[in-house]
Amino acid sequence: MVWFKRRRRVLNLALQGGGAHGAFTWGVLDRLLDEDDLDIGWISATSAGAVNAVALAGGMASGGREGARRALAGIWQALVEAGVPDFIRLNPFLYGLSRSTPMSQMASLWSPYEFNPLGFDPLRRLLEDHIDFEKLKASAPVELLIAATQVSTGQVRLFRRHEMTVEAVLASACLPTLHHAVVIEGEAYWDGGFSANPDLVTLALESPFADTLIVKLSPLTSDGVPTSVGEIAAHANRLTFNAPLLRDVKTITTARTALSRRWGRNANPLTALALARFHLIDAGRHTAGLRPETKVKPDAGLFTYLHGAGRTEAHKWLSRHKSDIGRRETVDLEARFLNPQIQPEPAAPPAAAPATPGMADDLAALAPLATDNPQRRSGSAD
């Protein structure tokens, strides 16, 4: 009898930021970890994507695939348990205000240096409790590119695995309207989404693996013209944080055009960039109908819904395209990102985004999902 060894596939990940909507990415990663013959290569990530990336990398360093599942579930469950940030809960006035006013509107009233003068950030404690950064740096089987934005220049800084710290992740997720700038080696940083969301170009140029799966959280288009203060702010933020991703896609498509015209046939960086293969899992149909303030308000029902949606979309993508990894690209970058009117965003979900049928409303029920699902033990759903 002849035994054939299954071909192992390697996939880079590019994880976009999106606040609490990053629970969708958690679901995607949770499902990818089911595939025993699919390895994660490099991860480029920003903001909420960075939190997911270090949870996966740190969990794999400590306990392999099951360790990664536990770390991801632990992080997101802890976010719900934390609820309203402690520095607001301890202030009766701000706590009362936060219950009736979205955090985004609070941010328009005060600077974080005014309503949080000590710079308390509950995310720091949460990350330190769930991720062993020293073990991550020493033995994580994936490379990391975690983006943060230099306040002084607006340029991106990419923190690599060997220099990963809790400060690097906090810098990547630092919204300047809610948190103090994070200072690392004398340089102040804000959210990486201002400069790379996430960085596709560096990933394509430096990773030894040609295939990259983009997990996109933010819709590229929206109907109508925003008129209220909240709508205008949300629309401006969406444009701002999508711009770096669109810039990278334009760079890649330009490199491909140049290579096709033989301008850069002998330029190795250009060739590597042009020949990179991209794939896409899009949360648009699940996030487009959610209110902007849901990005900054941890909610068990929302996390349950988005986690399930992420697993479902990843399952569908694997069923259709797993065999394409290492062979062909499965998304038309130019049509999907640069000409979105040609391929409009899918329809928005029903209002209030109800949990998927059969899925518990309590986020605590998601922890068993990480280990007890028979599909996980089989390692494949194809």
Side-chain angles (χ1 to χ4, degrees), residues 239-304:
L239 296 178
T240 297
F241 287 113
N242 274 334
L245 178 61
L246 298 179
R247 177 202 63 208
D248 280 6
V249 170
K250 180 64 175 177
T251 299
I252 292 164
T253 57
T254 299
R256 290 174 173 179
T257 300
L259 188 67
S260 69
R261 295 174 179 174
R262 311 185 72 86
W263 294 348
R265 183 68 68 178
N266 297 321
N268 291 333
L270 181 65
T271 302
L273 190 60
L275 297 181
R277 294 182 292 267
F278 289 92
H279 315 272
L280 176 68
I281 293 179
D282 192 346
R285 66 183 298 267
H286 304 282
T287 60
L290 299 176
R291 296 185 303 274
E293 59 265 28
T294 59
K295 290 185 177 183
V296 294
K297 295 179 69 175
D299 178 81
L302 176 68
F303 286 0
T304 301

Side-chain angles (χ1 to χ4, degrees), residues 189-200:
Y189 293 94
W190 282 347
D191 195 291
F194 291 111
S195 55
N197 196 18
D199 188 314
L200 298 183

